[in-house]
Amino acid sequence: MNRAEMWNRAAERQAPWDMVIVGGGATGAGIAVDAASRGYDVLLLEQHDFGKGTSSRSTKLVHGGVRYLEQGNISLVMEALKERGIMRQNAPHLVGDLAFVVPNYDWWEAPFYGLGLKVYNVLAGKYGFGDSQILSREETLERLPTIKTEGLRGGVVYFDGQFDDSRLLINLMQTAAEQGATLLNYVRVTGFSAGPDGFLDGVVAVDEETGREIRVSTRAVINATGPFADGVRRLADPDAAPMIAPSQGVHLVFDRSFLPGKSAIMVPHTRDGRVMFAIPWHGHTLVGTTDTPISEPTLEPRAFDDEVAFILETAGQYLHRAPTREDVLSVSVGIRPLVRADGAASTAALSRDHTIHIGRQGLLTVAGGKWTTYRHMAEDAVNHAAMLAHLPEKTCVTRTLNIHGFLPHAEKFGALSVYGSDALVIQDLMRAHPPLGERLHPALPYTKAEVIWAVRVEMARSVEDVLARRCRALFLNARAAAAMAPEVARLMAVELGEGDAWQRRQLAAFEETAACFRLA
C-alpha cells in the first residue's frame, strides 16, 4: 500500500465509484474487502489512521460471547461462533485457540457453568475450538498457578479464540488493496453532495497531511465510522436523530508474571454486570473490561479513575498477588458503538447485534456489532449498498477468502509470527541490513526492520501508527514505547524524506498520545 499512489488514483478518477466507505476500522475494512473482492470499485476514507479507534482497543478475543448466551441471545452467539471459525480459517497467523478457566469458589459453580459451556460448545458445531471440561482444584492450579487458592474448589475450562486486532486490520486493508480497493488514511470527510433526486452522489474530503480537498462521485456511501457514526449522519442530515449510545471499555496491561501460564481467566459476573477477562497476550497480561456510558466519543478517550480501580479490585479477588496502579504498564480505552434501545437500563444491556440504517438521503450506516462478526456485517452492508445503488448483484466470496499474510503454523517465526507470510520478507530485510535486526527496546521484541516495513508496505505515516498499531508497543508498555519513539522517528524520517522539524513534531504528538496510555 502506497499512499501517494492511492491519493492519485482517487484524485484522478473521473467515473463514479460504486461505493465510498467512510471509516477505516474493522467494519470499514471488512466492507472494503467484501466489495472489492466481488468486483465493485471501492474507495475507503479514514480521518486518522486505520484502526485508530475501537478496532485496535478490543479485548483481543474472537469469541461467541458467553454472556450473550446467558442473556438468551442464541442467534448472536451462533453467528459469532460461526464467524470465529471462519476467522481462524482465513487468518491462522493471527487467530488462534485460547483456553479459558472459570475458577470455582462455591459448590454450585462447577455444574452451573459446566452445563452452560457445554451448550456453548454444542452451538459452535463444526466450528468448535475444543471441548469444555470440569477441572479439579489441582488441575485448575496447574493451568492458573497465580490464582488465589483460598476457598478454591476447582474450575471449568472452555476454548475460545484470541487475535491481534490491529494486525488483522492492517492485513484486511492489504487484502482489500490486493482486490483492487483504493484506501486512504488521514483523509477526513467534510461533506456530501446530492443529485437532483436528493440522494447522495458525492463525497467531499480533506487530506489532513496537506490540506488538499478532494471531491469524488459515487453510487453509494457507506458510513462505517463506529462511535462517530452520528456525526457523519449529521453531515448528510443535520436533523438526524442519534442512534449511537457510546460506551467505553478499559483494559489494563501488566507484566507476564501475573498470569504466567497459557490459560486465561474468565470471571462470569462482576458487580457492573459484565464478564471480565485476564488473558496472556504478547508476553504480557491483559485485564478488562468495563462498560461505562459516555456522552460523546473522542479519538483518544481516557480511563476514569473508578474504572481502573474496578479492574484492579476485581483482578485482586482472583489473583494471588493483587495488582496495583504501579504495576500497570499500559491502559487503553475503546468506545463501543452500541445502538440505542428504548428501555435499556444500561449500555451493558444493549445488544451487540449490528444494525443497518438507510437515511432519507440514501446514506447507509452500519452500527453495532463486534470484531468477531465483522465479515458477516460487511456482507450484509455490501448487499444492501449494491441494492440501494442499483449495482449488478455479485456473490460474496469472503467466507473462503484468505487474508493477507495467511500462513498456518506461523508461530515458527516467533515474534514475527503476526506478519504471517510477510515474516520471510522482513527476515530478508534484516539479513540484507543487519543493523535493522536490532531491537528498539530491551523490554519488547520489536525491531528496526519492522519500522521500515510499516512505512514502505503498511502505510504508516506517524510514530504513533508504528508504535500503537503496526507493532503493539504502546498497548503493551507505554513507557518503553516512549523510549523507542526517537529512533522510530529517525528511521521514518529517512524513509519518508522528512527532516528534523518533522521528527520534533512527531515526538511531541506521540508523547501527548502516550500520556493517555499511562496512569498519572
Side-chain angles (χ1 to χ4, degrees), residues 245-426:
S247 163
Q248 73 175 34
V250 173
H251 301 93
L252 305 182
V253 172
F254 304 95
D255 182 82
R256 182 177 182 271
S257 63
F258 284 92
L259 198 64
K262 295 181 179 180
S263 297
I265 300 173
M266 194 272 274
V267 179
H269 287 285
T270 63
R271 60 177 168 83
D272 82 335
R274 287 194 59 81
V275 168
M276 181 168 284
F277 296 98
I279 66 173
W281 189 65
H282 288 328
H284 292 70
T285 301
L286 183 147
V287 183
T289 180
T290 57
D291 197 322
T292 307
I294 56 174
S295 56
E296 291 291 334
T298 60
L299 269 175
E300 200 57 73
R302 302 292 293 261
F304 301 123
D305 285 341
D306 59 343
E307 291 179 298
V308 174
F310 169 74
I311 293 176
L312 291 174
E313 175 193 338
T314 305
Q317 293 171 7
Y318 290 87
L319 296 176
H320 180 68
R321 178 162 66 97
T324 67
R325 290 178 65 93
E326 289 69 34
D327 295 312
V328 176
L329 299 177
S330 182
V331 52
S332 60
V333 185
I335 300 176
R336 301 180 188 87
L338 304 176
V339 179
R340 292 179 181 272
D342 293 335
S346 67
T347 51
L350 292 179
S351 172
R352 266 54 178 177
D353 285 312
H354 73 274
T355 295
I356 290 182
H357 175 273
I358 298 175
R360 57 189 179 187
Q361 297 83 9
L363 176 66
L364 190 153
T365 297
V366 189
K370 57 179 187 168
W371 241 119
T372 308
T373 58
Y374 86 90
R375 192 209 63 82
H376 178 70
M377 293 168 60
E379 181 179 355
D380 200 9
V382 174
N383 287 343
H384 279 78
M387 184 180 297
L388 188 68
H390 305 290
L391 296 169
E393 186 175 325
K394 300 181 180 183
T395 303
C396 172
V397 300
T398 56
R399 188 165 298 185
T400 56
L401 180 67
N402 290 341
I403 303 303
H404 180 94
F406 175 91
L407 185 71
H409 309 298
E411 64 274 5
K412 63 187 176 184
F413 291 112
L416 294 179
S417 65
V418 293
Y419 293 94
S421 58
D422 285 339
L424 289 164
V425 193
I426 297 174

Side-chain angles (χ1 to χ4, degrees), residues 56 60 164-166 281 446 467-468 471-476:
S56 63
K60 323 305 179 193
D164 185 314
D165 47 14
S166 72
W281 189 65
Y446 305 115
L467 290 177
C471 72
R472 309 313 307 273
L474 186 57
F475 283 81
L476 294 172

Side-chain angles (χ1 to χ4, degrees), residues 1-3 5 174 425 429 432-433 436 449-461 466 470 491-492 494-496:
M1 298 192 295
N2 181 285
R3 191 174 186 276
E5 291 175 6
Q174 291 171 297
V425 193
L429 187 61
H433 306 282
L436 294 181
E450 292 171 78
V451 180
I452 305 302
W453 181 260
V455 176
R456 290 181 184 175
V457 180
E458 297 180 344
M459 243 159 106
R461 307 296 295 174
V466 171
R470 304 309 185 277
L491 291 166
M492 293 186 72
V494 173
E495 285 295 310
L496 295 170

Side-chain angles (χ1 to χ4, degrees), residues 9-320:
R9 195 189 302 174
E12 294 169 5
R13 184 180 175 96
Q14 299 299 312
W17 297 91
D18 289 332
M19 300 177 194
V20 172
I21 302 161
V22 186
T27 306
I31 293 169
V33 170
D34 187 300
S37 62
R38 295 195 204 194
Y40 296 126
D41 293 327
V42 177
L43 171 65
L44 181 147
L45 304 175
E46 162 58 42
Q47 67 170 329
H48 198 274
D49 182 36
F50 305 130
K52 162 69 175 180
T54 306
S55 297
S56 63
R57 300 160 184 261
S58 74
T59 313
K60 323 305 179 193
L61 300 180
V62 181
H63 62 124
V66 173
R67 79 186 185 94
Y68 310 138
L69 180 64
E70 185 182 10
Q71 293 171 355
N73 195 340
I74 303 299
S75 61
L76 175 61
V77 173
M78 292 186 71
E79 175 194 315
L81 288 170
K82 180 180 179 180
E83 292 299 325
R84 180 191 71 171
I86 293 172
M87 283 179 72
R88 181 176 62 172
Q89 166 191 294
N90 295 343
H93 61 297
L94 286 170
V95 181
D97 304 351
L98 181 63
F100 290 79
V101 177
V102 182
N104 302 154
Y105 291 89
D106 286 305
W107 66 269
W108 56 268
E109 290 180 311
F112 179 78
Y113 295 123
L115 179 61
L117 292 168
K118 285 289 184 186
V119 174
Y120 191 67
N121 289 339
V122 170
L123 293 176
K126 67 177 182 179
Y127 297 101
F129 276 26
D131 292 332
S132 63
Q133 56 183 298
I134 294 176
L135 303 176
S136 67
R137 185 177 190 275
E138 291 70 26
E139 290 170 327
T140 302
L141 288 171
E142 185 178 346
R143 287 183 175 272
L144 301 174
T146 54
I147 195 74
K148 186 170 286 186
T149 57
E150 184 180 352
L152 181 68
R153 290 173 175 267
V156 179
V157 63
Y158 73 101
F159 294 85
D160 237 323
Q162 182 181 36
F163 76 140
D164 185 314
D165 47 14
S166 72
R167 286 305 316 167
L168 180 58
L169 181 69
I170 296 303
N171 281 172
L172 283 170
M173 291 298 181
Q174 291 171 297
T175 306
E178 290 162 357
Q179 296 295 327
T182 300
L183 317 162
L184 284 167
N185 51 3
Y186 294 99
V187 174
R188 179 171 52 88
V189 170
T190 58
F192 300 107
S193 62
D197 58 1
F199 273 70
L200 302 185
D201 66 359
V203 176
V204 183
V206 174
D207 183 350
E208 297 282 43
E209 292 188 354
T210 64
R212 292 177 294 183
E213 185 178 84
I214 185 172
R215 293 173 176 264
V216 299
S217 58
T218 182
R219 295 180 175 88
V221 182
I222 302 176
N223 174 14
T225 54
F228 301 95
D230 284 337
V232 174
R233 291 174 60 235
R234 284 191 288 269
L235 291 177
D237 178 6
D239 298 323
M243 63 182 291
I244 302 298
S247 163
Q248 73 175 34
V250 173
H251 301 93
L252 305 182
V253 172
F254 304 95
D255 182 82
R256 182 177 182 271
S257 63
F258 284 92
L259 198 64
K262 295 181 179 180
S263 297
I265 300 173
M266 194 272 274
V267 179
H269 287 285
T270 63
R271 60 177 168 83
D272 82 335
R274 287 194 59 81
V275 168
M276 181 168 284
F277 296 98
I279 66 173
W281 189 65
H282 288 328
H284 292 70
T285 301
L286 183 147
V287 183
T289 180
T290 57
D291 197 322
T292 307
I294 56 174
S295 56
E296 291 291 334
T298 60
L299 269 175
E300 200 57 73
R302 302 292 293 261
F304 301 123
D305 285 341
D306 59 343
E307 291 179 298
V308 174
F310 169 74
I311 293 176
L312 291 174
E313 175 193 338
T314 305
Q317 293 171 7
Y318 290 87
L319 296 176
H320 180 68

